[in-house]
Amino acid sequence: MAQHKRTTAGRPGRIRLAAATAVAAALSGGLLTATAVTASAAPSPATQPDADFDGDGAADLATSASGANVAGKDGAGQVTVTYGGGDRHHTTYSQNSAGVPGAAEKNDRFGSDTAYGDFNRDGYDDLAVAAIGEDVGTDVDGGTVQILWGSKNGLSGGTTLEDPRPTKHDFFGGPIQAGDFDGDGKDDLAIGSSSGAATLDVYEGGFTRAGGTGRHYTVTPPILSGDSAGPFNLHSGDVNGDGKDDLIVDGFSSGDHYNANLWLPGSSNGITTTGVQRLPGGYITDVGDTDSDGYGDIIIGLTWDDGIAGAHKGGSVYVVKGKSTGPYGDSQVITQDTAGVPGSAEKGDEFGSELDLGDINGDGHLDLVVGTVGEDLDGVTDAGSVTVIYGAADGSGLTTAGSVLLTQNTPGVPNTNEKNDFFGSDVHVDDLNDDGRGDVVIGAAGENASNGAFYILDSKADGTLSGTSGVYTSTVGISGAGTPRLGNNFAD
């Protein structure tokens, strides 16, 4: 049977692996009116905490430009960190930065995927960065993963994680995901390889700057291996409420060769394939407790118009509810044809191409941000759009009533709609100013001829979102040569 994957040429994809997917001056704005909700002292929603690399209490954001040209090396890759707080500022890292292992080389793709956690348990979050095209000795495109260490001054210095099976695969680090899979209070790291192996390498917590880790083990989900296969995406969260993070693995099912998402439960011994469950297909996932029942729900973006189970013209988002035995409590399906969702479903929109959960209005309930990178707007091809879907005030889950559509022509969003901007190439919710409300960050990887950009919309107490400027390659010191595609991936 045919293998289903994204096939729209030129569009950016979260994991920038050619084998895995074929998609590869700021203007001032006013205020964007969203649903007005009074903030309360409700408990924090069940989702992964924001990254805080400098320990100041405000979230920090890591944004990849894995195609960036560094010192004349095209595709070497860079990562920009936006440090939140009152003096919000940006620092850009490459393998030529002081303390970062290795050197920037052509097509290393530093930043091809990222994940954060307090890996050495010093109170500061650290950033794991994959460079999937790194040549390791004589192993061409072997790939590598490095941890950049958090400190009171932000990320400083780095350590390379050794590939435990270098002859078994290429593109080590495509993809990566952090989580506490054994429930011991330490952040673990799951690492995939997009070429040659379906098997994941998992390092348990106990990471040190000297290169030490906790126990290493492997887990092999039922997905295809080999060229153009392996895991495409990973995500973690506690779906069954047992205090251990579970892992969502996206890849081609080894049963029918169709795209699938697989739930692998965490256990006291780490990730296991015992009890694995197959979920709706799709490419991007997130996990969070949308209905306040103590179980993480799995959000899936299924972007295809047809040809795969569950497809809907223009794309769809599945909310698969968690319960004590894992996923498949109730399921909710949201499309652009769902009542309350702005716009309408059109072929090639790719609604659900990116998504992220977070508490935007500060009411203690999770909201959902959905990217639609293929949206054509007023005759502008692939300008892209983003939809904000709020959690119900009673905590019953996501409600499409009062959903908001964002484009670059929306008041409060900097810049304007342009062809192939791919606004919504990634989306993220981060409380960058530590006010208890998640700010909405939107990537536009096609901006300025694929230089890329991202836009920070601050969440205000009156229920509005406002952004006054974009963040461009020139803003953060990334070369405009080649195709950096800044804003193509935010760390999660």
Side-chain angles (χ1 to χ4, degrees), residues 223-287:
I223 60 173
L224 293 184
S225 60
D227 292 341
S228 301
F232 299 156
N233 268 303
L234 303 173
H235 207 90
S236 62
D238 186 4
V239 176
N240 57 8
D242 66 353
K244 304 171 184 65
D245 281 330
D246 312 313
L247 188 68
I248 314 302
V249 180
D250 181 75
F252 292 141
S253 168
S254 58
D256 55 19
H257 299 188
Y258 274 77
N259 177 278
N261 289 291
L262 302 169
W263 174 73
L264 278 63
S267 73
S268 58
N269 292 317
I271 302 167
T272 175
T273 56
T274 301
V276 61
Q277 293 190 34
R278 181 167 175 171
L279 307 165
Y283 191 70
I284 297 298
T285 58
D286 199 3
V287 178

Short mmCIF file of all heavy atoms in Angstrom, two decimals, residues 223-287:
data_model
loop_
_atom_site.label_atom_id
_atom_site.label_comp_id
_atom_site.label_asym_id
_atom_site.label_seq_id
_atom_site.Cartn_x
_atom_site.Cartn_y
_atom_site.Cartn_z
N ILE A 223 7.38 0.53 13.54
CA ILE A 223 7.41 1.39 12.36
C ILE A 223 8.48 0.88 11.41
O ILE A 223 9.37 0.11 11.79
CB ILE A 223 7.71 2.86 12.73
CG1 ILE A 223 9.08 2.97 13.44
CG2 ILE A 223 6.60 3.44 13.59
CD1 ILE A 223 9.52 4.40 13.68
N LEU A 224 8.39 1.31 10.15
CA LEU A 224 9.34 0.86 9.14
C LEU A 224 10.71 1.48 9.37
O LEU A 224 10.83 2.61 9.84
CB LEU A 224 8.85 1.24 7.75
CG LEU A 224 7.60 0.55 7.22
CD1 LEU A 224 7.34 1.00 5.78
CD2 LEU A 224 7.74 -0.97 7.28
N SER A 225 11.74 0.76 9.02
CA SER A 225 13.10 1.27 9.04
C SER A 225 13.60 1.39 7.61
O SER A 225 12.90 1.07 6.66
CB SER A 225 14.01 0.34 9.85
OG SER A 225 14.02 -0.96 9.27
N GLY A 226 14.84 1.86 7.45
CA GLY A 226 15.42 1.98 6.12
C GLY A 226 15.30 3.39 5.59
O GLY A 226 14.79 4.30 6.23
N ASP A 227 15.79 3.61 4.37
CA ASP A 227 15.73 4.91 3.73
C ASP A 227 14.29 5.39 3.64
O ASP A 227 13.38 4.61 3.37
CB ASP A 227 16.35 4.87 2.34
CG ASP A 227 17.84 4.62 2.37
OD1 ASP A 227 18.45 4.85 3.44
OD2 ASP A 227 18.40 4.20 1.34
N SER A 228 14.09 6.68 3.84
CA SER A 228 12.77 7.32 3.78
C SER A 228 11.82 6.80 4.85
O SER A 228 10.60 6.92 4.71
CB SER A 228 12.14 7.15 2.40
OG SER A 228 12.95 7.71 1.39
N ALA A 229 12.35 6.21 5.89
CA ALA A 229 11.50 5.67 6.95
C ALA A 229 12.12 6.05 8.30
O ALA A 229 12.73 7.09 8.44
CB ALA A 229 11.33 4.17 6.79
N GLY A 230 11.95 5.17 9.30
CA GLY A 230 12.38 5.51 10.64
C GLY A 230 11.38 6.47 11.28
O GLY A 230 10.34 6.78 10.71
N PRO A 231 11.66 6.96 12.49
CA PRO A 231 10.75 7.89 13.16
C PRO A 231 10.84 9.28 12.54
O PRO A 231 11.92 9.78 12.26
CB PRO A 231 11.27 7.90 14.60
CG PRO A 231 12.73 7.59 14.47
CD PRO A 231 12.85 6.64 13.31
N PHE A 232 9.68 9.90 12.32
CA PHE A 232 9.63 11.25 11.77
C PHE A 232 9.52 12.29 12.87
O PHE A 232 10.08 13.37 12.77
CB PHE A 232 8.45 11.40 10.81
CG PHE A 232 8.50 10.48 9.62
CD1 PHE A 232 7.34 10.15 8.95
CD2 PHE A 232 9.70 9.95 9.16
CE1 PHE A 232 7.37 9.30 7.85
CE2 PHE A 232 9.75 9.11 8.06
CZ PHE A 232 8.57 8.77 7.40
N ASN A 233 8.74 11.99 13.89
CA ASN A 233 8.55 12.92 14.99
C ASN A 233 8.34 12.16 16.29
O ASN A 233 7.83 11.03 16.28
CB ASN A 233 7.33 13.83 14.74
CG ASN A 233 7.73 15.12 14.05
OD1 ASN A 233 8.56 15.87 14.55
ND2 ASN A 233 7.13 15.38 12.90
N LEU A 234 8.72 12.80 17.40
CA LEU A 234 8.52 12.25 18.73
C LEU A 234 7.88 13.34 19.60
O LEU A 234 8.16 14.53 19.43
CB LEU A 234 9.86 11.83 19.37
CG LEU A 234 10.72 10.82 18.63
CD1 LEU A 234 12.07 10.66 19.34
CD2 LEU A 234 10.02 9.47 18.52
N HIS A 235 7.04 12.90 20.53
CA HIS A 235 6.53 13.84 21.53
C HIS A 235 6.25 13.06 22.81
O HIS A 235 6.00 11.85 22.76
CB HIS A 235 5.26 14.54 21.05
CG HIS A 235 5.09 15.88 21.71
ND1 HIS A 235 5.61 17.04 21.18
CD2 HIS A 235 4.51 16.24 22.87
CE1 HIS A 235 5.35 18.05 21.98
NE2 HIS A 235 4.68 17.58 23.03
N SER A 236 6.29 13.76 23.95
CA SER A 236 6.14 13.07 25.23
C SER A 236 5.07 13.74 26.08
O SER A 236 4.74 14.92 25.90
CB SER A 236 7.46 13.06 25.99
OG SER A 236 7.89 14.38 26.29
N GLY A 237 4.54 12.99 27.02
CA GLY A 237 3.56 13.49 27.98
C GLY A 237 2.92 12.33 28.70
O GLY A 237 2.96 11.18 28.24
N ASP A 238 2.31 12.61 29.86
CA ASP A 238 1.73 11.56 30.69
C ASP A 238 0.26 11.38 30.30
O ASP A 238 -0.62 12.11 30.76
CB ASP A 238 1.86 11.93 32.16
CG ASP A 238 1.40 10.82 33.09
OD1 ASP A 238 1.05 9.71 32.62
OD2 ASP A 238 1.36 11.07 34.31
N VAL A 239 -0.02 10.39 29.45
CA VAL A 239 -1.37 10.18 28.93
C VAL A 239 -2.23 9.40 29.92
O VAL A 239 -3.42 9.66 30.07
CB VAL A 239 -1.30 9.46 27.57
CG1 VAL A 239 -2.70 9.13 27.05
CG2 VAL A 239 -0.55 10.31 26.56
N ASN A 240 -1.65 8.43 30.62
CA ASN A 240 -2.45 7.57 31.50
C ASN A 240 -2.39 7.98 32.97
O ASN A 240 -2.90 7.27 33.83
CB ASN A 240 -2.02 6.10 31.35
CG ASN A 240 -0.55 5.88 31.62
OD1 ASN A 240 0.16 6.79 32.07
ND2 ASN A 240 -0.07 4.67 31.33
N GLY A 241 -1.75 9.10 33.26
CA GLY A 241 -1.79 9.65 34.60
C GLY A 241 -1.05 8.87 35.66
O GLY A 241 -1.36 8.99 36.85
N ASP A 242 -0.01 8.12 35.25
CA ASP A 242 0.72 7.30 36.22
C ASP A 242 1.99 7.96 36.72
O ASP A 242 2.78 7.34 37.44
CB ASP A 242 1.04 5.93 35.63
CG ASP A 242 2.01 5.99 34.46
OD1 ASP A 242 2.35 7.11 34.00
OD2 ASP A 242 2.43 4.91 33.98
N GLY A 243 2.22 9.22 36.34
CA GLY A 243 3.40 9.93 36.80
C GLY A 243 4.64 9.68 35.98
O GLY A 243 5.72 10.14 36.33
N LYS A 244 4.50 8.97 34.87
CA LYS A 244 5.62 8.69 33.97
C LYS A 244 5.25 9.18 32.57
O LYS A 244 4.14 8.94 32.09
CB LYS A 244 5.93 7.19 33.94
CG LYS A 244 6.20 6.60 35.32
CD LYS A 244 6.28 5.09 35.26
CE LYS A 244 6.46 4.48 36.64
NZ LYS A 244 5.26 4.72 37.53
N ASP A 245 6.18 9.88 31.93
CA ASP A 245 5.91 10.35 30.58
C ASP A 245 5.85 9.18 29.61
O ASP A 245 6.65 8.23 29.69
CB ASP A 245 6.98 11.34 30.13
CG ASP A 245 6.78 12.73 30.72
OD1 ASP A 245 5.62 13.09 30.98
OD2 ASP A 245 7.78 13.44 30.91
N ASP A 246 4.91 9.26 28.69
CA ASP A 246 4.80 8.31 27.59
C ASP A 246 5.38 8.95 26.34
O ASP A 246 5.63 10.16 26.30
CB ASP A 246 3.33 7.95 27.36
CG ASP A 246 2.61 7.59 28.67
OD1 ASP A 246 3.18 6.80 29.45
OD2 ASP A 246 1.51 8.10 28.90
N LEU A 247 5.60 8.16 25.30
CA LEU A 247 6.21 8.67 24.07
C LEU A 247 5.28 8.41 22.90
O LEU A 247 4.77 7.31 22.72
CB LEU A 247 7.55 7.98 23.83
CG LEU A 247 8.39 8.56 22.67
CD1 LEU A 247 8.88 9.97 23.00
CD2 LEU A 247 9.58 7.65 22.35
N ILE A 248 5.04 9.46 22.11
CA ILE A 248 4.29 9.34 20.87
C ILE A 248 5.30 9.30 19.73
O ILE A 248 6.13 10.20 19.58
CB ILE A 248 3.33 10.52 20.66
CG1 ILE A 248 2.54 10.81 21.94
CG2 ILE A 248 2.40 10.24 19.48
CD1 ILE A 248 1.73 9.65 22.46
N VAL A 249 5.25 8.24 18.92
CA VAL A 249 6.18 8.05 17.82
C VAL A 249 5.41 8.11 16.51
O VAL A 249 4.43 7.39 16.32
CB VAL A 249 6.91 6.69 17.93
CG1 VAL A 249 7.89 6.51 16.76
CG2 VAL A 249 7.63 6.57 19.26
N ASP A 250 5.86 8.97 15.61
CA ASP A 250 5.25 9.07 14.29
C ASP A 250 6.16 8.40 13.26
O ASP A 250 7.38 8.60 13.26
CB ASP A 250 5.04 10.52 13.90
CG ASP A 250 4.40 10.66 12.53
OD1 ASP A 250 3.19 10.41 12.43
OD2 ASP A 250 5.10 11.00 11.56
N GLY A 251 5.57 7.58 12.41
CA GLY A 251 6.33 6.91 11.35
C GLY A 251 5.39 6.10 10.49
O GLY A 251 4.17 6.10 10.68
N PHE A 252 5.95 5.39 9.53
CA PHE A 252 5.15 4.49 8.71
C PHE A 252 4.92 3.19 9.48
O PHE A 252 5.86 2.54 9.92
CB PHE A 252 5.84 4.17 7.38
CG PHE A 252 5.94 5.34 6.45
CD1 PHE A 252 7.08 5.54 5.70
CD2 PHE A 252 4.89 6.24 6.31
CE1 PHE A 252 7.18 6.61 4.83
CE2 PHE A 252 4.99 7.32 5.44
CZ PHE A 252 6.14 7.50 4.70
N SER A 253 3.66 2.81 9.63
CA SER A 253 3.34 1.59 10.36
C SER A 253 3.94 0.38 9.67
O SER A 253 3.85 0.22 8.45
CB SER A 253 1.82 1.43 10.45
OG SER A 253 1.48 0.14 10.90
N SER A 254 4.56 -0.49 10.47
CA SER A 254 5.13 -1.71 9.89
C SER A 254 4.05 -2.69 9.49
O SER A 254 4.30 -3.66 8.78
CB SER A 254 6.08 -2.37 10.90
OG SER A 254 5.41 -2.66 12.10
N GLY A 255 2.79 -2.44 9.93
CA GLY A 255 1.70 -3.34 9.57
C GLY A 255 1.16 -3.10 8.19
O GLY A 255 1.03 -4.02 7.38
N ASP A 256 0.83 -1.80 7.87
CA ASP A 256 0.22 -1.53 6.58
C ASP A 256 0.96 -0.46 5.78
O ASP A 256 0.52 -0.09 4.69
CB ASP A 256 -1.24 -1.11 6.75
CG ASP A 256 -1.40 0.07 7.69
OD1 ASP A 256 -0.41 0.79 7.93
OD2 ASP A 256 -2.51 0.29 8.19
N HIS A 257 2.07 0.03 6.31
CA HIS A 257 2.94 1.00 5.63
C HIS A 257 2.28 2.37 5.48
O HIS A 257 2.74 3.18 4.68
CB HIS A 257 3.39 0.48 4.26
CG HIS A 257 4.19 -0.78 4.33
ND1 HIS A 257 4.82 -1.31 3.22
CD2 HIS A 257 4.46 -1.62 5.35
CE1 HIS A 257 5.43 -2.45 3.56
NE2 HIS A 257 5.23 -2.64 4.86
N TYR A 258 1.22 2.65 6.22
CA TYR A 258 0.61 3.96 6.23
C TYR A 258 1.15 4.76 7.40
O TYR A 258 1.57 4.20 8.42
CB TYR A 258 -0.92 3.86 6.35
CG TYR A 258 -1.62 3.67 5.03
CD1 TYR A 258 -1.62 2.44 4.39
CD2 TYR A 258 -2.28 4.73 4.42
CE1 TYR A 258 -2.27 2.27 3.18
CE2 TYR A 258 -2.93 4.57 3.20
CZ TYR A 258 -2.93 3.34 2.58
OH TYR A 258 -3.55 3.16 1.38
N ASN A 259 1.12 6.08 7.25
CA ASN A 259 1.54 6.93 8.35
C ASN A 259 0.70 6.65 9.59
O ASN A 259 -0.52 6.49 9.50
CB ASN A 259 1.40 8.40 7.95
CG ASN A 259 1.77 9.35 9.08
OD1 ASN A 259 0.95 9.61 9.94
ND2 ASN A 259 2.99 9.85 9.07
N ALA A 260 1.35 6.58 10.73
CA ALA A 260 0.65 6.31 11.98
C ALA A 260 1.36 7.01 13.13
O ALA A 260 2.56 7.29 13.06
CB ALA A 260 0.58 4.81 12.25
N ASN A 261 0.61 7.30 14.18
CA ASN A 261 1.17 7.71 15.46
C ASN A 261 0.96 6.58 16.44
O ASN A 261 -0.13 6.00 16.51
CB ASN A 261 0.49 8.99 15.96
CG ASN A 261 0.88 10.19 15.14
OD1 ASN A 261 2.02 10.64 15.18
ND2 ASN A 261 -0.07 10.73 14.37
N LEU A 262 1.99 6.26 17.18
CA LEU A 262 1.95 5.14 18.11
C LEU A 262 2.21 5.63 19.53
O LEU A 262 3.16 6.40 19.76
CB LEU A 262 2.98 4.08 17.73
CG LEU A 262 2.84 3.50 16.32
CD1 LEU A 262 4.06 2.68 15.96
CD2 LEU A 262 1.58 2.66 16.20
N TRP A 263 1.36 5.21 20.47
CA TRP A 263 1.54 5.54 21.88
C TRP A 263 2.33 4.42 22.54
O TRP A 263 1.91 3.27 22.56
CB TRP A 263 0.19 5.70 22.56
CG TRP A 263 0.26 5.89 24.05
CD1 TRP A 263 0.67 7.00 24.71
CD2 TRP A 263 -0.09 4.94 25.07
NE1 TRP A 263 0.60 6.81 26.08
CE2 TRP A 263 0.13 5.55 26.33
CE3 TRP A 263 -0.57 3.62 25.04
CZ2 TRP A 263 -0.10 4.89 27.53
CZ3 TRP A 263 -0.81 2.97 26.24
CH2 TRP A 263 -0.58 3.61 27.47
N LEU A 264 3.52 4.79 23.08
CA LEU A 264 4.36 3.86 23.82
C LEU A 264 4.37 4.31 25.28
O LEU A 264 4.83 5.42 25.59
CB LEU A 264 5.79 3.83 23.28
CG LEU A 264 6.08 2.96 22.05
CD1 LEU A 264 5.30 3.44 20.83
CD2 LEU A 264 7.58 2.96 21.75
N PRO A 265 3.86 3.50 26.20
CA PRO A 265 3.77 3.95 27.59
C PRO A 265 5.13 3.99 28.28
O PRO A 265 6.03 3.20 27.98
CB PRO A 265 2.86 2.90 28.23
CG PRO A 265 3.00 1.68 27.38
CD PRO A 265 3.24 2.17 25.99
N GLY A 266 5.24 4.93 29.21
CA GLY A 266 6.38 4.91 30.11
C GLY A 266 6.14 3.91 31.22
O GLY A 266 5.01 3.49 31.48
N SER A 267 7.21 3.51 31.89
CA SER A 267 7.10 2.54 32.99
C SER A 267 8.28 2.76 33.93
O SER A 267 9.17 3.56 33.65
CB SER A 267 7.13 1.11 32.45
OG SER A 267 8.43 0.76 32.01
N SER A 268 8.31 2.04 35.03
CA SER A 268 9.43 2.16 35.95
C SER A 268 10.75 1.74 35.31
O SER A 268 11.82 2.10 35.80
CB SER A 268 9.17 1.32 37.21
OG SER A 268 8.96 -0.04 36.86
N ASN A 269 10.66 1.00 34.21
CA ASN A 269 11.85 0.61 33.46
C ASN A 269 12.04 1.43 32.19
O ASN A 269 12.85 1.09 31.34
CB ASN A 269 11.78 -0.88 33.10
CG ASN A 269 11.90 -1.77 34.31
OD1 ASN A 269 12.73 -1.53 35.19
ND2 ASN A 269 11.05 -2.79 34.40
N GLY A 270 11.26 2.51 32.04
CA GLY A 270 11.39 3.37 30.87
C GLY A 270 10.34 3.06 29.82
O GLY A 270 9.32 2.41 30.09
N ILE A 271 10.58 3.54 28.61
CA ILE A 271 9.63 3.36 27.51
C ILE A 271 9.52 1.88 27.16
O ILE A 271 10.52 1.17 27.09
CB ILE A 271 10.08 4.15 26.28
CG1 ILE A 271 10.22 5.64 26.60
CG2 ILE A 271 9.10 3.97 25.12
CD1 ILE A 271 10.95 6.42 25.55
N THR A 272 8.28 1.43 26.92
CA THR A 272 8.08 0.03 26.57
C THR A 272 7.10 -0.08 25.41
O THR A 272 6.25 0.80 25.22
CB THR A 272 7.53 -0.75 27.79
OG1 THR A 272 7.23 -2.09 27.39
CG2 THR A 272 6.25 -0.11 28.33
N THR A 273 7.22 -1.13 24.64
CA THR A 273 6.26 -1.39 23.57
C THR A 273 5.11 -2.25 24.06
O THR A 273 4.17 -2.51 23.31
CB THR A 273 6.94 -2.09 22.37
OG1 THR A 273 7.57 -3.29 22.82
CG2 THR A 273 7.97 -1.18 21.73
N THR A 274 5.15 -2.68 25.31
CA THR A 274 4.04 -3.43 25.88
C THR A 274 2.84 -2.50 26.03
O THR A 274 2.92 -1.46 26.68
CB THR A 274 4.42 -4.00 27.25
OG1 THR A 274 5.55 -4.87 27.11
CG2 THR A 274 3.26 -4.78 27.85
N GLY A 275 1.75 -2.85 25.42
CA GLY A 275 0.56 -2.02 25.47
C GLY A 275 0.53 -0.91 24.45
O GLY A 275 -0.33 -0.03 24.52
N VAL A 276 1.44 -0.95 23.46
CA VAL A 276 1.46 0.08 22.43
C VAL A 276 0.10 0.19 21.76
O VAL A 276 -0.58 -0.81 21.53
CB VAL A 276 2.57 -0.22 21.39
CG1 VAL A 276 2.35 -1.55 20.69
CG2 VAL A 276 2.67 0.90 20.36
N GLN A 277 -0.33 1.41 21.48
CA GLN A 277 -1.60 1.64 20.82
C GLN A 277 -1.40 2.52 19.60
O GLN A 277 -0.63 3.48 19.63
CB GLN A 277 -2.61 2.29 21.76
CG GLN A 277 -3.06 1.40 22.90
CD GLN A 277 -4.22 2.00 23.67
OE1 GLN A 277 -5.08 2.66 23.09
NE2 GLN A 277 -4.25 1.77 24.97
N ARG A 278 -2.12 2.18 18.54
CA ARG A 278 -2.06 2.99 17.33
C ARG A 278 -3.12 4.09 17.39
O ARG A 278 -4.26 3.85 17.78
CB ARG A 278 -2.28 2.13 16.09
CG ARG A 278 -2.21 2.93 14.79
CD ARG A 278 -2.12 2.03 13.59
NE ARG A 278 -2.17 2.80 12.35
CZ ARG A 278 -1.93 2.28 11.15
NH1 ARG A 278 -1.62 1.00 11.03
NH2 ARG A 278 -2.00 3.04 10.07
N LEU A 279 -2.71 5.29 16.99
CA LEU A 279 -3.56 6.48 17.01
C LEU A 279 -3.88 6.89 15.57
O LEU A 279 -3.34 6.32 14.62
CB LEU A 279 -2.82 7.61 17.72
CG LEU A 279 -2.28 7.29 19.11
CD1 LEU A 279 -1.26 8.35 19.53
CD2 LEU A 279 -3.41 7.21 20.11
N PRO A 280 -4.74 7.88 15.39
CA PRO A 280 -4.93 8.40 14.03
C PRO A 280 -3.62 8.83 13.41
O PRO A 280 -2.67 9.21 14.12
CB PRO A 280 -5.87 9.59 14.26
CG PRO A 280 -6.61 9.25 15.51
CD PRO A 280 -5.62 8.53 16.38
N GLY A 281 -3.56 8.76 12.10
CA GLY A 281 -2.36 9.20 11.39
C GLY A 281 -2.18 10.69 11.53
O GLY A 281 -2.96 11.40 12.17
N GLY A 282 -1.13 11.20 10.91
CA GLY A 282 -0.81 12.61 11.02
C GLY A 282 0.68 12.77 11.17
O GLY A 282 1.43 11.78 11.11
N TYR A 283 1.12 13.99 11.36
CA TYR A 283 2.56 14.23 11.36
C TYR A 283 3.05 14.88 12.64
O TYR A 283 4.12 14.58 13.14
CB TYR A 283 2.92 15.11 10.15
CG TYR A 283 4.40 15.21 9.88
CD1 TYR A 283 5.11 14.12 9.40
CD2 TYR A 283 5.08 16.39 10.12
CE1 TYR A 283 6.47 14.20 9.16
CE2 TYR A 283 6.44 16.49 9.87
CZ TYR A 283 7.12 15.39 9.40
OH TYR A 283 8.48 15.48 9.17
N ILE A 284 2.24 15.78 13.19
CA ILE A 284 2.64 16.56 14.36
C ILE A 284 1.74 16.22 15.53
O ILE A 284 0.53 16.05 15.36
CB ILE A 284 2.55 18.07 14.05
CG1 ILE A 284 3.53 18.44 12.94
CG2 ILE A 284 2.81 18.91 15.29
CD1 ILE A 284 4.99 18.20 13.28
N THR A 285 2.30 16.12 16.72
CA THR A 285 1.50 15.81 17.91
C THR A 285 1.90 16.72 19.07
O THR A 285 2.97 17.34 19.06
CB THR A 285 1.69 14.35 18.35
OG1 THR A 285 3.07 14.10 18.61
CG2 THR A 285 1.20 13.38 17.28
N ASP A 286 1.03 16.80 20.05
CA ASP A 286 1.33 17.44 21.33
C ASP A 286 0.52 16.69 22.38
O ASP A 286 -0.42 15.96 22.05
CB ASP A 286 0.97 18.92 21.31
CG ASP A 286 1.66 19.71 22.42
OD1 ASP A 286 2.46 19.11 23.17
OD2 ASP A 286 1.41 20.92 22.55
N VAL A 287 0.89 16.86 23.65
CA VAL A 287 0.20 16.18 24.74
C VAL A 287 -0.07 17.19 25.84
O VAL A 287 0.83 17.94 26.25
CB VAL A 287 1.02 15.01 25.30
CG1 VAL A 287 0.29 14.36 26.48
CG2 VAL A 287 1.30 13.97 24.23
#
